[in-house]
Amino acid sequence: MNEVMKQSISDNIDTITKRWVEQMKDNSSERFLDLMPASVVETTSREFTTLMTSNLSHREKVDKERLDEFTEKIIHFGWSIKFINRAIDTFSAVVYELFFETGVLTNSNLRQGMDIFSSWINPLRESIIEEYATKWEQTDSLQKIALQELSASLIPVFEKISVMPLVGTIDTERAKLIMENLLEGVVKQRAEVVLLDITGVPVVDTMVAHHIIQAADAVRLVGAKCMLVGIRPEIAQTIVTLGINLTDFSTTSTLRRGMQEALQMTGRTIVEEE
Amino acid sequence: MEHGSSIEINTEWDIVAARQLGRNEAKETGFGTVDQARITTAISELARNIYLYAGKGVIKIEPVRAGQRAGLIITASDEGPGITDLQKVMEDGFTTSGGLGAGMPGVKRLMDDFRVETEVGIGTTITATKWLH
Ligand SMILES: Nc1ncnc2c1ncn2[C@@H]1O[C@H](COP(=O)(O)OP(=O)(O)O)[C@@H](O)[C@H]1O
Ligand SMILES: [Mg+2]
């Protein structure tokens, strides 16, 4: 019977795909398909229906490679898990209806048909959801790593002068990373002045201030000087109101002013060419 | 009156969520950038204290209107250990965690009204309000 079903599906794959798209568009609160160009909807639905039938003949085994590829694609499209569940339900309903129309399912073999149906669709649903979750976790942790790498590197701008632009929220973990990169970088780059640029830090509370003070102290211990730049006016006011004393290390409002000062401190200036 | 929102504090990232919410509410209430920064920072301090000293708790942010004045009330409540010596805690530089000890007195200065209710072994509720001038 599996073979009959499979044959019926592949004979009618166009109808199935068409009906599936229609029904998905009809009762969809999430408009993923509407947002996609028609040609992409066409190929994606074709891929989806093909994937859905891939484990029908050799039961229990879902085509892993095809599954991988497809899941990656729908995550990229931003399909939600709810939407995917509905896609599978809709597909089942469409196929079920078609089996009746084509006489593959009749009242007499309904029971057997239902058995095949559930041992076919359920593992498929599980694999898809599982794959989706795994891929999503991978993406999530990659983004975290990317953010960490992006946001705490010490850049040797001139000889003896390095800059660390801080971007984003500073939590305990990132504070540690900042400290490590800072000390390692200062030594490796033989920096004499380090500019910590906090333009991209949204909130400077006492914890962030504490980490900045500790970082500056540590930089001083390895023989360099730390300068805090990129302090927006509202941040400056908040820091003062908190009662935090940052007078121990020079602070300037902009990176540009800080850079000029750093050049002076290392006995250089920038001159304009005639 | 508009209804406020609250955020449960369980992890460090909830602190970020709480202040994001605070910033949005502050913007909506009509606060300028400096007051937005003050309110956001106050929320950050209170939320972190919950995370550090009580483990978990709730930050509530609600708009208020009293007569002609509009403002924002922040309530930080937890069922943590409570504060033994409130007077000490309100001094600049007092800390039991090796921090800067500037959070509590800082929040008091950042906001307009500030009230602490605390009982050892029961928990702490801090209410801080900022008025739109
Ligand atoms: N919600 C709280 N529950 C119990 N103790 C608290 C709470 N908030 C603050 N404290 C106590 O008050 C002290 C001072 O807090 P704070 O001024 O924020 O400085 P810091 O967090 O840097 O120590 C803390 O070290 C802690 O002992
Ligand atoms: Mg604190």
Side-chain angles (χ1 to χ4, degrees):
Chain A
M1 188 165 183
N2 288 40
E3 286 310 317
V4 181
M5 282 181 164
K6 192 167 170 78
Q7 191 57 47
S8 170
I9 289 176
S10 75
D11 288 348
N12 295 290
I13 193 80
D14 286 335
T15 318
I16 293 173
T17 308
K18 199 169 134 260
R19 286 187 190 171
W20 179 80
V21 171
E22 271 165 17
Q23 291 194 20
M24 285 306 283
K25 279 190 167 168
D26 263 4
N27 50 22
S28 181
S29 51
E30 300 179 82
R31 309 222 149 271
F32 293 114
L33 292 181
D34 294 348
L35 295 174
M36 290 156 63
S39 62
V40 181
V41 173
E42 170 75 31
T43 48
T44 311
S45 5
R46 175 69 50 140
E47 273 174 39
F48 177 71
T49 44
T50 314
L51 173 72
M52 289 303 289
T53 46
S54 69
N55 70 329
L56 183 55
S57 53
H58 27 95
R59 282 212 269 158
E60 318 257 308
K61 266 207 4 230
V62 182
D63 185 337
K64 181 79 174 98
E65 208 169 304
R66 193 169 271 163
L67 179 68
D68 262 16
E69 225 169 87
F70 183 76
T71 318
E72 200 153 326
K73 202 159 170 179
I74 55 182
I75 287 181
H76 180 73
F77 288 150
W79 288 16
S80 69
I81 243 170
K82 189 171 141 206
F83 186 82
I84 292 165
N85 252 324
R86 260 250 331 289
I88 297 170
D89 289 342
T90 307
F91 175 83
S92 309
V94 168
V95 170
Y96 186 74
E97 202 182 273
L98 192 107
F99 280 170
F100 265 103
E101 281 170 25
T102 54
V104 172
L105 272 182
T106 58
N107 283 332
S108 56
N109 68 359
L110 189 57
R111 213 195 142 83
Q112 191 198 358
M114 290 309 287
D115 281 351
I116 296 178
F117 231 80
S118 62
S119 59
W120 161 40
I121 299 287
N122 288 346
L124 199 53
R125 186 194 302 272
E126 267 166 40
S127 316
I128 293 179
I129 303 275
E130 193 186 318
E131 185 64 25
Y132 183 97
T134 315
K135 279 264 156 49
W136 199 86
E137 269 165 29
Q138 278 171 4
T139 313
D140 184 54
S141 73
L142 275 180
Q143 279 175 344
K144 278 205 181 110
I145 293 170
L147 181 73
Q148 280 188 342
E149 286 179 346
L150 164 99
S151 48
S153 42
L154 188 68
I155 306 159
V157 182
F158 292 113
E159 206 180 306
K160 300 177 189 172
I161 301 174
S162 298
V163 176
M164 184 180 276
L166 297 177
V167 180
T169 296
I170 297 176
D171 61 345
T172 319
E173 207 173 306
R174 279 201 56 210
K176 240 186 271 163
L177 192 82
I178 289 168
M179 184 72 100
E180 280 167 22
N181 291 1
L182 195 56
L183 291 183
E184 209 172 283
V186 167
V187 174
K188 210 190 276 169
Q189 296 165 15
R190 298 168 200 265
E192 286 177 18
V193 183
V194 175
L195 299 160
L196 264 187
D197 183 3
I198 59 165
T199 313
V201 179
V203 175
V204 179
D205 57 9
T206 61
M207 187 202 68
V208 172
H210 195 196
H211 285 305
I212 291 173
I213 292 170
Q214 283 176 329
D217 285 346
V219 166
R220 215 170 293 145
L221 278 178
V222 294
K225 207 167 158 24
C226 194
M227 211 187 276
L228 192 61
V229 301
I231 309 164
R232 281 168 281 138
E234 70 271 20
I235 301 282
Q237 284 208 34
T238 314
I239 292 177
V240 171
T241 311
L242 282 172
I244 296 164
N245 184 5
L246 292 180
T247 49
D248 267 4
F249 51 103
S250 3
T251 53
T252 62
S253 53
T254 62
L255 179 58
R256 190 195 298 184
R257 291 246 321 263
M259 189 59 79
Q260 281 167 352
E261 250 176 68
L263 283 167
Q264 258 169 27
M265 282 156 65
T266 51
R268 291 166 295 176
T269 57
I270 292 179
V271 290
E272 227 163 282
E273 246 181 287
E274 290 294 306
Chain B
M1 186 88 245
E2 314 96 299
H3 52 84
S5 353
S6 54
I7 287 201
E8 277 181 39
I9 306 297
N10 293 303
T11 72
E12 230 183 328
W13 289 100
D14 296 330
I15 302 171
V16 181
R19 57 195 201 203
Q20 209 114 42
L21 181 73
R23 191 183 293 280
N24 290 340
E25 291 279 344
K27 228 181 257 176
E28 231 161 82
T29 312
F31 285 108
T33 39
V34 175
D35 277 339
Q36 280 175 33
R38 289 191 177 120
I39 291 166
T40 314
T41 308
I43 292 172
S44 192
E45 295 298 338
L46 297 176
R48 186 167 300 279
N49 281 356
I50 288 178
Y51 172 72
L52 283 179
Y53 309 117
K56 59 188 169 74
V58 178
I59 295 277
K60 203 163 87 188
I61 299 160
E62 8 169 39
V64 272
R65 198 172 283 279
Q68 297 281 58
R69 295 201 299 177
L72 209 58
I73 302 187
I74 301 161
T75 314
S77 48
D78 64 64
E79 294 173 7
I83 295 169
T84 327
D85 192 342
L86 189 57
Q87 206 178 336
K88 266 232 174 77
V89 162
M90 294 312 296
E91 280 168 19
D92 279 297
F94 177 82
T95 177
T96 57
S97 66
L100 282 182
M104 294 284 279
V107 172
K108 188 175 178 187
R109 285 190 293 260
L110 287 170
M111 304 294 282
D112 295 323
D113 303 336
F114 181 83
R115 206 177 68 229
V116 185
E117 287 163 64
T118 185
E119 201 171 326
V120 174
I122 303 287
T124 305
T125 296
I126 296 166
T127 317
T129 310
K130 190 88 196 160
W131 296 107
L132 204 56
H133 294 291

